Amino acid sequence: MSEIKLENLEKSFDDFVAVEKSDLTIQDNEFFVLLGPSGCGKTTTLRMIAGLELPTSGKILLDNEDVTFLRASQRDIAFVFQLFALYPHMNVKKNLAFPLKMQGFKKSEINKRIEEVSELLRIQHLLNSKVSSLSGGDRQRVALGRAIVRRPKAFLMDEPLGTLDAEFRELMCLELRKLHNDIKATTVYVTHDQLEAMSMGDRIAVMNKGKIIQFGTPKDIYLKPKTKFVGSFIGSPAMNFIPIHHPVEKNQNKIVINGENYDIPQSFGGTNSPTNYLGIRPEKMFLTDKKGIPGIVFGSEYLGARKILTIKSEFGNFKVRVSNQVNARIGSNVKINFEPKSAIVFDGTTDKAIESRYIKLN
Amino acid sequence: MVDTSRSPTESSGFSRKLAALIIIIYAVVTLIPITWIILTGFKSVTSSITYPPEVFFEPSLEGYVNLFTTRTRQSQEYLEALPPPETWYEELVRSREMVIAGPSKFFGRYANSLIIGFGATFLSVFLGALAAYAFSRFKIPLKDDLMFFILSTRMFPPIAVAVPIFIMYRKIGLGDTHLGMIILYTVVNLSLAVWLLKGFMDEIPREYEEAAMIDGYTRMGAFFKIVLPQATTGIAATAIFCMIFSWNEYAFAVLLTQFNAQTAPPFIPTIIGEGGQDWSAIGAGTTLFLIPVMIFTVVLRKHLLRGITFGAVRK
Ligand SMILES: Nc1ncnc2c1ncn2[C@@H]1O[C@H](COP(=O)(O)OP(=O)(O)OP(=O)(O)O)[C@@H](O)[C@H]1O
Ligand SMILES: [Mg+2]
């Protein structure tokens, strides 16, 4: 029922531009993730959508209605804060009732809604507890509950799992996703954790330094990063980069590393930069006896059926994901090669990916 | 032997006992004058002026009776001609060869003190909280200078401006009125209130009121429903300071009030003038005067402690 549209949205604090001209459409019922490193402007963007911060320029449309300068209280949007911001002087039940009281619901209706929500989130037993006595996970649930009781047009969540420990975070990820599947409300979820983003988002927007660099499905973003930054930010371990010391021309399908030719997908664009980078995902690299970049096995991380090797080469450390069968003792000399189809050339000056047969950017 | 029952970060039993001893000695020293004045209130007039002073004495309510009444001295014949006294206090007064002429002004002065003290405290805290919130949350041009300006109103003793205020008050008809005194004490208290409360408001994360605004409340609504309840500690501390000042203030009260709005502090010493050195009445008046601030402080102290543990849990 609700679509959020950002048009040319920009926010500066004095001289500092926190969010640069951003365009974004968040579709109805979508679980949309804003992903980016610390300080990139995620919270600022979210706060503008909520009405807690006014944009310097640009527009915010909610269901095609211009809400750019509407008060937060009039937007009918819920916000889950990073530290939850549960009202400490009220118990759980009063926290849940607080938004409903303002809307003038009858007592019976308020109680009914609280009951529904607490059942959904399994917090019935906490209703009379003090907020300060709750564990992190319970606070999280109550904060979600306070957002849900109102049945708002959209949910905004600012790193709501940031303070939970890793194990519990995983569980809450699943619960949140399930909750979204149940109530199907448009959600904008902010995180700096790419794993969280990849596992939860229907679509992801990657931000850096105030700019939205790319948005798309997790698969798109993983396989077709638009810039070197996205490639290195998404994926764990991150993408490997090999410097290429020559320009890349249009329709080129070979590059030179260490004086040897390697195949790449035929490029549709080109660059004159003297140094460019070839990006390859760890699982698309392999050890070989034939042609390859020489290196020394530096570390080995056991992950059940697979393992991740850290290989030191003259181009820096590479992370290579290989089967557990592969024999590579630490300290041994190896050569590494890559699958040509998955290689992406990034312009060394602009950081942008160069389109090729396999990497078509939207 | 190492005592493992206490944590190494706690102080040892000896230093704790020493600390307790010092505190007790200090408390006794500071409490002696107060104890003495309270005891004096329960002495008879003669006993209160005996030299050397009596530590053990027969308690009497003469001071309290004298505090609340005015009396006239009468001859023995006149007293004998009267019908027998109806109440215990009439009897007490007659035994001193006097009759009760009427009530004294103490009750009215005491009521004035209560009205002006609580009125000024409420207004200081209320206005102070609004100003402190604005200073804490909004971008205000010249904010630091304004804060300094507010503080600078306390850089001279308030009495330094007594004369201009006296003239001003007479011109605009605020002299000797409750409202005038409430406004005056509020003005004096306000700078302290703003500074104290701003510190406390700065400590309250903005997210709380933002959550309330998202939940559909206006900023004003969020302020009253969310911010104020969380500033309880600060409000209690500020209220105590404001109350103590307004309750005890003497100089302005002497200068600006006479009949209508005179408070207890300038009134109590005038008791001395009426019919000799009546120290027991003064003792009684002072005792009664101490009670409201004491109750006020004790009641709010609970909030102070609660507020402190509150913040300790988690923001
Ligand atoms: N009120 C403000 N005044 C001045 N600068 C601000 C303000 N709010 C945010 N900034 C700046 O804007 C930039 C973006 O901040 P923002 O909080 O949106 O980042 P973020 O992506 O949410 O980061 P994090 O992951 O650390 O929460 C930061 O450099 C921050 O210092
Ligand atoms: Mg943030």
Side-chain angles (χ1 to χ4, degrees), chain B residues 2-22:
Chain B
V2 176
D3 175 12
T4 50
S5 66
R6 73 180 163 85
S7 108
T9 53
E10 275 174 55
S11 48
S12 73
F14 174 72
S15 61
R16 272 204 230 182
K17 273 177 201 143
L18 188 68
L21 189 69
I22 293 172

Side-chain angles (χ1 to χ4, degrees), chain A residues 13 16 18 37-44 159 192:
Chain A
F13 296 106
F16 177 77
S38 191
C40 71
K42 307 178 295 283
T43 299
T44 309
E159 311 209 20
H192 63 260

Side-chain angles (χ1 to χ4, degrees), chain B residues 97-272:
Chain B
E97 297 178 358
M98 289 187 284
V99 290
I100 293 173
S104 77
K105 293 185 202 145
F106 182 75
F107 185 77
R109 302 308 190 232
Y110 198 76
N112 286 345
S113 262
L114 286 175
I115 294 168
I116 292 169
F118 280 99
T121 303
F122 174 79
L123 206 59
S124 311
V125 172
F126 181 72
L127 295 178
L130 287 176
Y133 180 75
F135 274 117
S136 165
R137 295 300 199 258
F138 300 127
K139 249 194 197 157
I140 298 170
L142 299 179
K143 185 191 276 190
D144 292 346
D145 302 281
L146 280 174
M147 283 299 283
F148 183 78
F149 168 70
I150 289 174
L151 186 67
S152 72
T153 59
R154 288 300 291 267
M155 289 182 182
F156 48 88
I159 200 67
V161 290
V163 174
I165 286 179
F166 177 75
I167 296 169
M168 243 160 58
Y169 265 38
R170 213 175 42 187
K171 279 256 156 70
I172 56 179
L174 277 176
D176 203 17
T177 63
H178 294 104
L179 181 65
M181 293 314 282
I182 290 176
I183 292 175
L184 182 66
Y185 290 169
T186 302
V187 168
V188 177
N189 277 330
L190 210 47
S191 67
L192 179 78
V194 173
W195 271 80
L196 268 179
L197 286 169
K198 176 171 181 292
F200 283 97
M201 302 249 174
D202 285 344
E203 295 286 305
I204 303 171
R206 284 158 187 261
E207 279 84 4
Y208 290 128
E209 72 230 44
E210 288 177 347
M213 285 192 268
I214 297 235
D215 280 347
Y217 290 76
T218 58
R219 189 175 275 278
M220 222 26 167
F223 173 75
F224 283 113
K225 291 225 153 69
I226 302 299
V227 180
L228 277 193
Q230 290 195 63
T232 319
T233 318
I235 289 172
T238 312
I240 288 174
F241 282 117
C242 292
M243 184 65 189
I244 289 174
F245 171 81
S246 322
W247 188 252
N248 292 339
E249 206 286 328
Y250 178 77
F252 277 120
V254 168
L255 191 73
L256 295 177
T257 63
Q258 270 179 319
F259 310 108
N260 182 29
Q262 191 182 44
T263 53
F267 174 75
I268 292 175
T270 64
I271 300 169
I272 298 184

Side-chain angles (χ1 to χ4, degrees), chain A residues 47 87 89 98 139 150, chain B residues 210 214-215 217 225 314:
Chain A
R47 287 170 59 87
Y87 310 124
H89 56 293
F98 193 71
R139 278 172 203 223
R150 246 175 56 205
Chain B
E210 288 177 347
I214 297 235
D215 280 347
Y217 290 76
K225 291 225 153 69
R314 185 186 171 202

